[in-house]
Amino acid sequence: MSEAVRDFIGYGRARPDFEWPGGRRVALSVVVNYEEGAENCVLEGDTFSEVLNSDVSGATARAGRRNLVVESHYEYGSRAGHWRILDLLAECRVPATYFAVSGALEKHPEAARSIVEAGHEVVSHGARWIDYDEVPEATERAHMARSLDVLERLCGERPVGWYTGRVSPRTRMLAVEQGLQYDSDAYNDDLPYWTRVGDKPHLVLPYSFDCNDMRFASAPGFDTPDDFTDHLRRTLACLRREGRRQASMMSIGLHLRLAGRPGRAEALREFLLAASEFPDVWFCRRRDIAQFWRHRFPATP
């Protein structure tokens, strides 16, 4: 993003030798995306209707017109999916990080309170769930500041992490400008890493699109709930096997309107309950990972 030179090497063979808290070998971060009500919609003044990440196969952007079917799918996430996923996490005793779009949580303050009361982390997912690639820098900066202010008001705590998803080349720079401790707008490693933005060190906690229920809404992707959880099981099995030599991090991405559907939620529940039995797996929030990393591997000049 803001880096002038791409890094194709990363840690290479010299990956850090360490253990996560409690001697665990895999840090498993469950991420719940709360976007419902902040997606592209002409009612919000947007030019086109939303097309991404719903069960509406082949949705196309409608210029100046609503797509009531897509809107209805998004509404399912906040009306039903949110409460199902929240209860599931409580049952499985899994702490999660919510990538929350402030414009979405503003439409459902009770949901914001329920996330915080359950002990989950809230990360800013922007002011709107839109593509910021061609948004002017001043507008993106204003959206970022407003999002952090709104989430602090709704949740009682200012986010320390950031994730836009549909980023601009300036997103990371603006996140550092806002004083965020880390961002997750990267997909290029199985471990956190430090980068530099200007003259400042900045921590990156990579995210994942493969262990993500968005694949139910893309092609090629997951067809059945078992497709999704089988991929999660195999990913965790690989990282646990490799963990005998080196610790790593795994991210699971969920969306309320996708994983919040009953069949998918039931499969997810089975996976989380099984994974919770592994003594070498640390279920944690992303800010817990960031705090650990900053203490164990502080940024060097």
Side-chain angles (χ1 to χ4, degrees), residues 172-193:
R172 178 163 293 158
M173 175 197 73
L174 295 174
V176 173
E177 183 182 289
Q178 289 292 331
L180 278 303
Q181 293 183 15
Y182 74 87
D183 78 70
S184 290
D185 276 312
Y187 315 88
N188 52 3
D189 214 306
D190 296 318
L191 284 176
Y193 61 87

Side-chain angles (χ1 to χ4, degrees), residues 88-89 91-92 94 225-227 229-230 232-233 236 262-278 283:
L88 186 156
L89 293 172
E91 178 188 358
C92 298
V94 170
D226 288 341
D227 292 338
T229 52
D230 184 59
L232 298 183
R233 279 191 292 269
L236 184 56
R264 296 167 185 159
E266 188 65 14
L268 177 65
R269 172 182 176 274
E270 294 165 2
F271 168 81
L272 292 178
L273 287 173
S276 297
E277 297 297 321
F278 297 134
F283 279 95

Side-chain angles (χ1 to χ4, degrees), residues 266-299:
E266 188 65 14
L268 177 65
R269 172 182 176 274
E270 294 165 2
F271 168 81
L272 292 178
L273 287 173
S276 297
E277 297 297 321
F278 297 134
D280 54 351
V281 175
W282 178 38
F283 279 95
C284 52
R285 302 166 300 183
R286 294 177 93 77
R287 73 182 181 198
D288 301 324
I289 297 174
Q291 182 178 17
F292 171 89
W293 204 263
R294 296 173 75 90
H295 175 74
R296 181 68 174 79
F297 301 103

Side-chain angles (χ1 to χ4, degrees), residues 20-91:
W20 297 109
R24 296 180 175 93
R25 307 300 291 175
V26 180
L28 205 164
S29 167
V30 175
V31 172
V32 184
N33 291 267
Y34 195 111
E35 301 160 344
E36 286 74 7
E39 75 278 8
N40 285 290
C41 179
V42 297
L43 295 178
E44 301 290 337
D46 298 310
T47 305
F48 296 94
S49 62
E50 186 57 74
V51 298
L52 290 183
N53 295 353
S54 78
D55 281 316
V56 183
S57 177
T60 57
R62 297 180 178 179
R65 294 184 296 120
R66 299 172 64 186
N67 188 326
L68 298 179
V69 176
V70 171
E71 289 181 22
S72 187
H73 276 257
Y74 268 77
E75 290 162 12
Y76 183 89
S78 58
R79 291 164 61 112
H82 167 68
W83 303 110
R84 179 171 291 121
I85 293 296
L86 195 69
D87 289 346
L88 186 156
L89 293 172
E91 178 188 358

